Short mmCIF file of all heavy atoms in Angstrom, two decimals:
data_model
loop_
_atom_site.label_atom_id
_atom_site.label_comp_id
_atom_site.label_asym_id
_atom_site.label_seq_id
_atom_site.Cartn_x
_atom_site.Cartn_y
_atom_site.Cartn_z
N PHE A 16 -26.36 6.95 -36.80
CA PHE A 16 -25.66 6.09 -35.85
C PHE A 16 -24.85 5.02 -36.59
O PHE A 16 -23.69 4.75 -36.27
CB PHE A 16 -26.66 5.46 -34.89
CG PHE A 16 -26.04 4.69 -33.77
CD1 PHE A 16 -25.28 5.32 -32.80
CD2 PHE A 16 -26.20 3.31 -33.68
CE1 PHE A 16 -24.70 4.61 -31.77
CE2 PHE A 16 -25.62 2.60 -32.66
CZ PHE A 16 -24.87 3.25 -31.69
N CYS A 23 -15.75 4.34 -37.58
CA CYS A 23 -14.77 3.99 -36.55
C CYS A 23 -13.92 2.80 -36.94
O CYS A 23 -12.96 2.47 -36.26
CB CYS A 23 -15.48 3.68 -35.22
SG CYS A 23 -16.25 5.14 -34.50
N GLY A 27 -9.53 -2.54 -42.43
CA GLY A 27 -9.09 -3.91 -42.63
C GLY A 27 -7.74 -4.04 -43.30
O GLY A 27 -7.21 -5.12 -43.37
N LEU A 36 -4.15 -3.92 -27.96
CA LEU A 36 -4.09 -2.52 -27.55
C LEU A 36 -3.22 -2.32 -26.33
O LEU A 36 -2.64 -1.27 -26.15
CB LEU A 36 -5.50 -2.00 -27.28
CG LEU A 36 -6.42 -1.99 -28.49
CD1 LEU A 36 -7.82 -1.53 -28.10
CD2 LEU A 36 -5.86 -1.10 -29.58
N LYS A 74 -8.15 -5.62 13.29
CA LYS A 74 -7.44 -6.59 12.46
C LYS A 74 -8.38 -7.12 11.40
O LYS A 74 -9.54 -7.41 11.66
CB LYS A 74 -6.94 -7.75 13.33
CG LYS A 74 -6.00 -7.30 14.42
CD LYS A 74 -5.63 -8.42 15.36
CE LYS A 74 -4.77 -7.86 16.48
NZ LYS A 74 -4.36 -8.88 17.41
N VAL A 77 -5.92 -8.14 5.57
CA VAL A 77 -4.78 -7.48 4.93
C VAL A 77 -4.07 -6.46 5.80
O VAL A 77 -3.04 -5.92 5.40
CB VAL A 77 -5.20 -6.80 3.60
CG1 VAL A 77 -5.63 -7.82 2.58
CG2 VAL A 77 -6.27 -5.76 3.84
N GLN A 82 -4.12 1.48 18.31
CA GLN A 82 -4.29 2.85 18.76
C GLN A 82 -3.97 2.93 20.24
O GLN A 82 -4.48 2.13 21.02
CB GLN A 82 -5.74 3.30 18.52
CG GLN A 82 -6.01 4.74 18.82
CD GLN A 82 -5.47 5.67 17.76
OE1 GLN A 82 -5.56 5.39 16.57
NE2 GLN A 82 -4.91 6.77 18.18
N GLY A 85 -6.54 7.39 24.11
CA GLY A 85 -6.77 8.83 24.00
C GLY A 85 -6.93 9.33 22.58
O GLY A 85 -6.31 8.82 21.65
N THR A 92 0.14 1.10 12.15
CA THR A 92 -0.62 0.34 11.16
C THR A 92 0.30 -0.60 10.41
O THR A 92 1.43 -0.24 10.07
CB THR A 92 -1.29 1.30 10.15
OG1 THR A 92 -2.14 2.20 10.86
CG2 THR A 92 -2.10 0.55 9.12
N TYR A 96 0.38 -6.12 0.96
CA TYR A 96 -0.10 -5.90 -0.40
C TYR A 96 0.36 -7.04 -1.29
O TYR A 96 1.54 -7.18 -1.56
CB TYR A 96 0.42 -4.57 -0.94
CG TYR A 96 -0.04 -3.37 -0.15
CD1 TYR A 96 0.69 -2.93 0.97
CD2 TYR A 96 -1.18 -2.68 -0.49
CE1 TYR A 96 0.26 -1.83 1.69
CE2 TYR A 96 -1.61 -1.58 0.23
CZ TYR A 96 -0.88 -1.16 1.32
OH TYR A 96 -1.30 -0.08 2.04
N TRP A 107 2.53 7.65 -3.69
CA TRP A 107 1.50 8.26 -2.84
C TRP A 107 2.13 8.95 -1.63
O TRP A 107 1.76 10.06 -1.28
CB TRP A 107 0.47 7.23 -2.39
CG TRP A 107 -0.59 7.84 -1.54
CD1 TRP A 107 -1.72 8.46 -1.98
CD2 TRP A 107 -0.60 7.94 -0.12
NE1 TRP A 107 -2.44 8.94 -0.91
CE2 TRP A 107 -1.78 8.64 0.25
CE3 TRP A 107 0.26 7.52 0.88
CZ2 TRP A 107 -2.10 8.91 1.57
CZ3 TRP A 107 -0.07 7.80 2.20
CH2 TRP A 107 -1.23 8.49 2.54
N GLY A 112 4.19 14.75 1.02
CA GLY A 112 5.28 15.60 1.50
C GLY A 112 6.39 14.86 2.22
O GLY A 112 7.23 15.47 2.87
N THR A 115 11.32 9.84 0.48
CA THR A 115 11.65 8.44 0.72
C THR A 115 13.16 8.23 0.74
O THR A 115 13.92 8.97 0.11
CB THR A 115 11.03 7.54 -0.36
OG1 THR A 115 11.52 7.92 -1.63
CG2 THR A 115 9.51 7.62 -0.34
N GLY A 121 16.67 -7.18 6.74
CA GLY A 121 16.88 -8.62 6.63
C GLY A 121 17.22 -9.07 5.22
O GLY A 121 16.77 -10.13 4.79
N THR A 124 14.99 -5.31 0.14
CA THR A 124 15.00 -3.87 -0.12
C THR A 124 13.64 -3.25 0.18
O THR A 124 12.61 -3.92 0.23
CB THR A 124 15.36 -3.58 -1.59
OG1 THR A 124 14.38 -4.20 -2.43
CG2 THR A 124 16.75 -4.10 -1.91
N SER A 133 8.50 14.97 11.65
CA SER A 133 8.91 13.73 12.33
C SER A 133 7.79 13.07 13.13
O SER A 133 8.04 12.29 14.04
CB SER A 133 10.11 13.98 13.24
OG SER A 133 11.21 14.44 12.49
N ALA A 157 4.00 15.36 20.69
CA ALA A 157 5.35 15.63 20.21
C ALA A 157 6.09 14.31 20.04
O ALA A 157 5.94 13.40 20.85
CB ALA A 157 6.08 16.54 21.21
#
Side-chain angles (χ1 to χ4, degrees):
F16 187 66
C23 292
L36 297 177
K74 301 174 184 181
V77 295
Q82 186 75 40
T92 302
Y96 298 88
W107 181 85
T115 60
T124 60
S133 299

